[in-house]
Amino acid sequence: MTMWVFGYGSLLWNPGFEPAETVTATLSGYHRSFCMLSIHHRGSVEQPGLVLALDAGDAICTGVAFRVAVADEVRVLAELRERELISSAYEEAHLQLALKDGRDVQALAYVINRDHEQYCQFDLEHQAQMIARSVGGRGPNPEYLYNTADHLVKMGIHDPDMAWLVERVRALT
């Protein structure tokens, strides 16, 4: 079975591996949301940042499906787990994606665990305030927001909440 990985946040612009194939894809039943407190990569325990997660709901999330070369599958899976499963806030899931070219594939995706203490739901202003001031082991939280938003724009994906956050965080910083 071919390994596919679904990118919807930082994986869009930093998958961490060289994909054998990259295709725009949609995932039904989930939406991209700043619903995970980041206490490692983009924030700290003392000052958490926010990162994107797939949150279940009546929605569709557009992102990228990355096909992993067979020879790289074991290494890529280990690296993704080290990166994404730093806490148990994400759960690994194999979900059905609809590729832009008409194919359907099963892909590895990281979905928020709503029962985890890092799961959160804040209004946009609160999100902007947190993102503007947080820094973690992988850098400033605004950098994560800007890179993700820029990549979505390049893909032609309009996300009004993301656009608002970018403008507000820029004003705050």
Side-chain angles (χ1 to χ4, degrees):
M1 183 173 193
T2 302
M3 181 178 172
W4 289 85
V5 177
F6 184 59
Y8 58 88
S10 64
L11 290 175
L12 292 171
W13 47 272
N14 182 21
F17 62 95
E18 188 63 41
E21 183 179 2
T22 302
V23 184
T24 300
T26 55
L27 172 63
S28 295
Y30 293 88
H31 64 279
R32 181 184 0 260
S33 175
F34 277 104
C35 64
M36 183 172 144
L37 297 172
S38 180
I39 58 173
H40 301 287
H41 295 319
R42 297 296 174 163
S44 63
V45 172
E46 300 77 26
Q47 190 157 18
L50 288 173
V51 291
L52 293 164
L54 289 173
D55 199 4
D58 186 22
I60 295 175
C61 181
T62 302
V64 173
F66 299 107
R67 184 171 57 80
V68 180
V70 173
D72 297 336
E73 288 179 358
V74 171
R75 177 186 55 80
V76 167
L77 183 58
E79 290 172 356
L80 285 170
R81 285 177 171 166
E82 181 178 333
R83 170 182 169 171
E84 302 296 332
L85 302 178
I86 193 165
S87 70
S88 54
Y90 279 134
E91 294 177 339
E92 223 172 55
H94 288 87
L95 303 172
Q96 192 74 21
L97 300 181
L99 303 186
K100 186 177 182 178
D101 62 15
R103 291 178 288 168
D104 290 324
V105 299
Q106 285 280 112
L108 175 65
Y110 292 93
V111 176
I112 191 70
N113 173 356
R114 286 185 169 188
D115 294 326
H116 196 275
E117 64 189 356
Q118 286 174 255
Y119 177 72
C120 60
Q121 287 289 310
F122 299 121
D123 64 45
L124 288 174
E125 178 61 29
H126 191 103
Q127 291 177 36
Q129 295 288 333
M130 289 181 73
I131 292 169
R133 69 176 187 254
S134 300
V135 178
R138 291 190 183 249
N141 206 175
E143 174 187 78
Y144 173 94
L145 168 67
Y146 301 151
N147 283 338
T148 304
D150 288 346
H151 205 84
L152 290 173
V153 168
K154 288 176 187 169
M155 291 178 64
I157 299 169
H158 179 64
D159 184 326
D161 288 350
M162 187 87 62
W164 188 91
L165 281 170
V166 166
E167 292 307 312
R168 183 66 178 131
V169 170
R170 282 196 174 121
L172 290 169
T173 57

